[in-house]
């Protein structure tokens, strides 16, 4: 499967949600990330986040300790207009900058997992600062997900 993508420049985003630490080699990575999504919706966290910018959910990967094989923080969140006054949430700023944008369609879990497997094989000039998934709808089997991979600013061609 050839992964098509476009290079986009994004403004900084404020994301508000819940977080955990994991890594791709961890046998419980899927349970950690799945558990966050479960809590996010089933414990009313999504519904309670104030000042949401839109209805889209975000899966954010940040605070890498080097590369995709190292530990990172995963945050399940929504984009918000402002930082909430309560400390009940994890707040993350998605940095402004260049991203490779991938559009994935299909089963929400399987399509995203398969896409990341392919993205990791690409020779992208990644920052390993912040990558994220933006869920365009709530359909489990007909999902549309935009995956953004943070890219270094290349001075020579772009």
């Amino acid at each position: 499967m050839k992964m098509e993508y476009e290079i986009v420049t994004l403004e900084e985003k404020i994301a508000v949600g819940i977080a955990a630490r994991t890594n791709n080699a961890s046998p419980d990575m899927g349970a950690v990330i799945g558990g966050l999504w479960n809590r996010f919706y089933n414990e009313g966290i999504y519904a309670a986040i104030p000042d949401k910018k839109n209805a889209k959910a975000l899966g954010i990967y940040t605070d890498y300790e080097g590369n995709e094989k190292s530990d990172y923080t995963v945050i399940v969140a929504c984009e918000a207009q402002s930082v909430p006054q309560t400390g009940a949430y994890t707040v993350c700023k998605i940095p402004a900058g260049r991203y490779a944008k991938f559009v994935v369609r299909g089963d929400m879990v399987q399509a995203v997992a398969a896409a990341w497997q392919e993205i990791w094989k690409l020779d992208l000039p990644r920052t390993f600062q912040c990558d994220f998934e933006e869920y365009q709808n709530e359909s489990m089997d007909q999902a549309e997900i935009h995956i953004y991979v943070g890219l270094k600013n290349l001075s020579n061609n772009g």
Side-chain angles (χ1 to χ4, degrees):
M1 168 165 108
K2 171 123 175 53
M3 293 296 295
E4 302 275 323
Y5 63 91
E6 64 176 314
I7 305 294
V8 297
T9 302
L10 300 180
E11 300 292 316
E12 181 179 84
K13 297 176 184 287
I14 298 169
V16 177
I18 55 175
R21 196 102 177 122
T22 190
N23 74 60
N24 293 339
S26 174
D28 68 347
M29 175 197 72
V32 167
I33 295 172
L36 278 177
W37 283 104
N38 194 19
R39 282 183 51 216
F40 188 65
Y41 284 110
N42 295 339
E43 294 179 16
I45 295 166
Y46 170 84
I49 292 172
D51 208 16
K52 282 195 261 306
K53 196 161 190 176
N54 55 48
K56 299 172 186 173
L58 303 173
I60 304 164
Y61 307 92
T62 188
D63 298 331
Y64 290 93
E65 291 178 359
N67 60 39
E68 75 273 7
K69 294 177 175 65
S70 62
D71 287 358
Y72 56 87
T73 299
V74 58
I75 305 166
V76 175
C78 299
E79 187 177 354
Q81 304 273 13
S82 60
V83 175
Q85 297 307 304
T86 172
Y89 304 102
T90 297
V91 175
C92 162
K93 290 207 168 137
I94 296 173
R98 294 173 73 241
Y99 290 81
K101 176 185 174 184
F102 300 84
V103 177
V104 179
R105 291 181 179 88
D107 176 86
M108 192 176 279
V109 176
Q110 300 302 324
V112 169
W116 278 111
Q117 293 296 323
E118 294 302 313
I119 290 167
W120 292 330
K121 295 175 190 170
L122 297 175
D123 188 22
L124 294 170
R126 295 181 59 188
T127 61
F128 292 105
Q129 185 179 10
C130 186
D131 305 317
F132 67 100
E133 303 152 359
E134 184 179 65
Y135 292 81
Q136 305 300 308
N137 60 30
E138 294 177 23
S139 171
M140 287 302 290
D141 54 352
Q142 297 292 313
E144 180 176 325
I145 303 107
H146 297 176
I147 299 177
Y148 295 88
V149 177
L151 300 177
K152 294 176 181 164
N153 283 318
L154 303 174
S155 54
N156 54 359
N157 63 354

